[in-house]
Amino acid sequence: MLKDEAPKPQRGTVAKCRALRRELTLPEILLWQALRRRPAGLKFRKQHPSGPFILDFYCIDAKLVVEVDGEAHSRDDRPQRDNVRDAWFARFGLHTLRIPASSVLHDLDAVVRGIVTLARDRLPLHHPAAPGGPPPRDKLGEEW
C-alpha cells in the first residue's frame, strides 16, 4: 500500500465518519458491497475523513476519491461547492470521480467496471522502496 496523500482529518470528522458508516444510502450500500470485495486487488475505504471533508469511498493506491451524488447535488449551490471541494483535493494529487446515485441503482456492474478501470489507470507503475529498504541496484554497483 502506498502512502496516503490525502490531508489528515480535522478535529471532529473521525467521529462523524463513524456515524456516517452506519447510515449509508442504498446506492452507497450497493457500491460498498462491490468495492469491499477488492475488485482487481484494489482496496477501498468507505466514509474516509480527509481535511474538513468526508470521502464516500477512497482508494489510497490510485489516489481516487469516489463520490456517490444523490439528486441534492444538483440543487442550489451544491455543484459549485462540489467543484471547490474537488479542486481542493486535486491540489493533493487526488482525483474525484462523481457518480450519480441513479447510475449505481440502474447498472451497478458498469459503475464498478468504470471505477476499477479509472483506478487501475491511476496506479503508479512501481511501488516506491520502503524507507530503510535496499538501495536501487545502480547504487550498489551491480550490473544488470
Side-chain angles (χ1 to χ4, degrees), residues 6-19:
K8 299 299 176 214
Q10 289 184 356
R11 173 174 248 144
T13 56
V14 173
K16 188 174 180 183
C17 280
R18 289 181 181 139

Side-chain angles (χ1 to χ4, degrees), residues 107-120:
D107 196 352
L108 177 63
D109 290 336
V111 168
V112 173
R113 282 193 309 271
I115 292 170
V116 168
T117 299
L118 180 59
R120 290 180 82 187

Side-chain angles (χ1 to χ4, degrees), residues 96-107:
T96 303
L97 174 62
R98 295 196 165 273
I99 301 171
S102 60
S103 295
V104 175
L105 294 172
H106 289 101
D107 196 352

Side-chain angles (χ1 to χ4, degrees), residues 15 17-24 46:
C17 280
R18 289 181 181 139
L20 287 174
R21 288 180 192 131
R22 293 186 295 270
E23 301 172 7
L24 296 176
K46 70 175 177 177

Side-chain angles (χ1 to χ4, degrees), residues 36 39 47 66 98 101 126 132:
R36 73 185 299 185
Q47 302 299 325
V66 179
R98 295 196 165 273
H126 303 285

Side-chain angles (χ1 to χ4, degrees), residues 34-55:
L35 295 179
R36 73 185 299 185
R37 293 186 186 116
R38 295 186 181 205
L42 297 164
K43 180 180 178 183
F44 288 86
R45 295 177 179 204
K46 70 175 177 177
Q47 302 299 325
H48 180 75
S50 182
F53 303 108
I54 298 172
L55 314 176

